[in-house]
PDB file of all heavy atoms in Angstrom:
ATOM      1  N   THR A   8      53.243 106.548 113.670  1.00 61.00           N
ATOM      2  CA  THR A   8      53.265 106.820 112.240  1.00 61.00           C
ATOM      3  C   THR A   8      51.917 106.448 111.632  1.00 61.00           C
ATOM      4  O   THR A   8      51.236 105.542 112.091  1.00 61.00           O
ATOM      5  CB  THR A   8      54.367 105.994 111.553  1.00 61.00           C
ATOM      6  OG1 THR A   8      54.142 104.613 111.825  1.00 61.00           O
ATOM      7  CG2 THR A   8      55.739 106.396 112.086  1.00 61.00           C
ATOM      8  N   ALA A   9      51.554 107.183 110.596  1.00 62.00           N
ATOM      9  CA  ALA A   9      50.295 106.905 109.920  1.00 62.00           C
ATOM     10  C   ALA A   9      50.402 105.555 109.202  1.00 62.00           C
ATOM     11  O   ALA A   9      51.462 105.196 108.689  1.00 62.00           O
ATOM     12  CB  ALA A   9      49.990 108.007 108.907  1.00 62.00           C
ATOM     13  N   PRO A  10      49.327 104.779 109.186  1.00 70.00           N
ATOM     14  CA  PRO A  10      49.372 103.483 108.490  1.00 70.00           C
ATOM     15  C   PRO A  10      49.602 103.679 107.009  1.00 70.00           C
ATOM     16  O   PRO A  10      49.136 104.644 106.398  1.00 70.00           O
ATOM     17  CB  PRO A  10      47.985 102.891 108.756  1.00 70.00           C
ATOM     18  CG  PRO A  10      47.113 104.058 109.085  1.00 70.00           C
ATOM     19  CD  PRO A  10      48.000 105.044 109.763  1.00 70.00           C
ATOM     20  N   ARG A  11      50.349 102.767 106.415  1.00 85.00           N
ATOM     21  CA  ARG A  11      50.614 102.846 104.987  1.00 85.00           C
ATOM     22  C   ARG A  11      49.422 102.294 104.238  1.00 85.00           C
ATOM     23  O   ARG A  11      48.965 101.179 104.514  1.00 85.00           O
ATOM     24  CB  ARG A  11      51.871 102.067 104.628  1.00 85.00           C
ATOM     25  CG  ARG A  11      52.191 102.109 103.131  1.00 85.00           C
ATOM     26  CD  ARG A  11      53.443 101.326 102.800  1.00 85.00           C
ATOM     27  NE  ARG A  11      53.591 101.184 101.358  1.00 85.00           N
ATOM     28  CZ  ARG A  11      54.528 100.452 100.754  1.00 85.00           C
ATOM     29  NH1 ARG A  11      55.409  99.798 101.508  1.00 85.00           N
ATOM     30  NH2 ARG A  11      54.583 100.366  99.441  1.00 85.00           N
ATOM     31  N   MET A  12      48.882 103.064 103.330  1.00 88.00           N
ATOM     32  CA  MET A  12      47.736 102.668 102.549  1.00 88.00           C
ATOM     33  C   MET A  12      48.157 102.388 101.115  1.00 88.00           C
ATOM     34  O   MET A  12      49.035 103.041 100.568  1.00 88.00           O
ATOM     35  CB  MET A  12      46.660 103.763 102.572  1.00 88.00           C
ATOM     36  CG  MET A  12      46.141 104.113 103.951  1.00 88.00           C
ATOM     37  SD  MET A  12      45.317 102.728 104.769  1.00 88.00           S
ATOM     38  CE  MET A  12      43.923 102.450 103.663  1.00 88.00           C
ATOM     39  N   LEU A  13      47.530 101.408 100.512  1.00 89.00           N
ATOM     40  CA  LEU A  13      47.690 101.123  99.087  1.00 89.00           C
ATOM     41  C   LEU A  13      46.294 100.953  98.539  1.00 89.00           C
ATOM     42  O   LEU A  13      45.650  99.907  98.693  1.00 89.00           O
ATOM     43  CB  LEU A  13      48.518  99.859  98.883  1.00 89.00           C
ATOM     44  CG  LEU A  13      48.882  99.529  97.430  1.00 89.00           C
ATOM     45  CD1 LEU A  13      49.820 100.597  96.859  1.00 89.00           C
ATOM     46  CD2 LEU A  13      49.541  98.163  97.319  1.00 89.00           C
ATOM     47  N   GLY A  14      45.794 102.004  97.930  1.00 87.00           N
ATOM     48  CA  GLY A  14      44.410 101.983  97.496  1.00 87.00           C
ATOM     49  C   GLY A  14      43.476 101.848  98.683  1.00 87.00           C
ATOM     50  O   GLY A  14      43.564 102.605  99.649  1.00 87.00           O
ATOM     51  N   ARG A  15      42.620 100.844  98.656  1.00 89.00           N
ATOM     52  CA  ARG A  15      41.662 100.614  99.745  1.00 89.00           C
ATOM     53  C   ARG A  15      42.265  99.819 100.897  1.00 89.00           C
ATOM     54  O   ARG A  15      41.594  99.592 101.906  1.00 89.00           O
ATOM     55  CB  ARG A  15      40.463  99.822  99.211  1.00 89.00           C
ATOM     56  CG  ARG A  15      39.730 100.487  98.047  1.00 89.00           C
ATOM     57  CD  ARG A  15      38.497  99.685  97.672  1.00 89.00           C
ATOM     58  NE  ARG A  15      38.849  98.339  97.223  1.00 89.00           N
ATOM     59  CZ  ARG A  15      38.011  97.309  97.239  1.00 89.00           C
ATOM     60  NH1 ARG A  15      36.792  97.460  97.745  1.00 89.00           N
ATOM     61  NH2 ARG A  15      38.380  96.112  96.801  1.00 89.00           N
ATOM     62  N   TYR A  16      43.523  99.393 100.769  1.00 93.00           N
ATOM     63  CA  TYR A  16      44.093  98.450 101.719  1.00 93.00           C
ATOM     64  C   TYR A  16      45.114  99.111 102.642  1.00 93.00           C
ATOM     65  O   TYR A  16      45.970  99.879 102.191  1.00 93.00           O
ATOM     66  CB  TYR A  16      44.748  97.286 100.958  1.00 93.00           C
ATOM     67  CG  TYR A  16      43.767  96.554 100.088  1.00 93.00           C
ATOM     68  CD1 TYR A  16      43.616  96.902  98.747  1.00 93.00           C
ATOM     69  CD2 TYR A  16      42.949  95.557 100.604  1.00 93.00           C
ATOM     70  CE1 TYR A  16      42.695  96.248  97.942  1.00 93.00           C
ATOM     71  CE2 TYR A  16      42.030  94.896  99.806  1.00 93.00           C
ATOM     72  CZ  TYR A  16      41.905  95.251  98.483  1.00 93.00           C
ATOM     73  OH  TYR A  16      40.978  94.615  97.693  1.00 93.00           O
ATOM     74  N   GLN A  17      45.019  98.774 103.916  1.00 92.00           N
ATOM     75  CA  GLN A  17      46.019  99.210 104.888  1.00 92.00           C
ATOM     76  C   GLN A  17      47.047  98.105 105.034  1.00 92.00           C
ATOM     77  O   GLN A  17      46.729  96.972 105.406  1.00 92.00           O
ATOM     78  CB  GLN A  17      45.370  99.496 106.246  1.00 92.00           C
ATOM     79  CG  GLN A  17      46.373  99.926 107.307  1.00 92.00           C
ATOM     80  CD  GLN A  17      45.715 100.177 108.659  1.00 92.00           C
ATOM     81  OE1 GLN A  17      44.531 100.512 108.709  1.00 92.00           O
ATOM     82  NE2 GLN A  17      46.466 100.028 109.720  1.00 92.00           N
ATOM     83  N   LEU A  18      48.291  98.428 104.723  1.00 93.00           N
ATOM     84  CA  LEU A  18      49.374  97.447 104.816  1.00 93.00           C
ATOM     85  C   LEU A  18      49.832  97.372 106.263  1.00 93.00           C
ATOM     86  O   LEU A  18      50.384  98.327 106.809  1.00 93.00           O
ATOM     87  CB  LEU A  18      50.527  97.840 103.888  1.00 93.00           C
ATOM     88  CG  LEU A  18      50.147  98.037 102.414  1.00 93.00           C
ATOM     89  CD1 LEU A  18      51.374  98.353 101.578  1.00 93.00           C
ATOM     90  CD2 LEU A  18      49.413  96.826 101.858  1.00 93.00           C
ATOM     91  N   VAL A  19      49.610  96.229 106.899  1.00 93.00           N
ATOM     92  CA  VAL A  19      49.830  96.083 108.330  1.00 93.00           C
ATOM     93  C   VAL A  19      51.237  95.596 108.651  1.00 93.00           C
ATOM     94  O   VAL A  19      51.912  96.148 109.518  1.00 93.00           O
ATOM     95  CB  VAL A  19      48.789  95.104 108.932  1.00 93.00           C
ATOM     96  CG1 VAL A  19      49.055  94.885 110.420  1.00 93.00           C
ATOM     97  CG2 VAL A  19      47.368  95.622 108.699  1.00 93.00           C
ATOM     98  N   GLU A  20      51.693  94.554 107.946  1.00 92.00           N
ATOM     99  CA  GLU A  20      52.974  93.947 108.294  1.00 92.00           C
ATOM    100  C   GLU A  20      53.578  93.276 107.070  1.00 92.00           C
ATOM    101  O   GLU A  20      52.894  92.522 106.375  1.00 92.00           O
ATOM    102  CB  GLU A  20      52.769  92.897 109.405  1.00 92.00           C
ATOM    103  CG  GLU A  20      54.031  92.194 109.852  1.00 92.00           C
ATOM    104  CD  GLU A  20      53.748  91.135 110.901  1.00 92.00           C
ATOM    105  OE1 GLU A  20      52.589  91.070 111.382  1.00 92.00           O
ATOM    106  OE2 GLU A  20      54.674  90.375 111.231  1.00 92.00           O
ATOM    107  N   PRO A  21      54.859  93.540 106.783  1.00 90.00           N
ATOM    108  CA  PRO A  21      55.501  92.852 105.652  1.00 90.00           C
ATOM    109  C   PRO A  21      55.723  91.388 105.985  1.00 90.00           C
ATOM    110  O   PRO A  21      56.157  91.041 107.073  1.00 90.00           O
ATOM    111  CB  PRO A  21      56.828  93.602 105.485  1.00 90.00           C
ATOM    112  CG  PRO A  21      57.123  94.176 106.837  1.00 90.00           C
ATOM    113  CD  PRO A  21      55.781  94.487 107.458  1.00 90.00           C
TER     114      PRO A  21
END
Side-chain angles (χ1 to χ4, degrees):
T8 57
R11 179 180 170 186
M12 300 297 297
L13 186 66
R15 303 184 298 158
Y16 301 94
Q17 179 181 333
L18 304 183
V19 177
E20 180 182 352

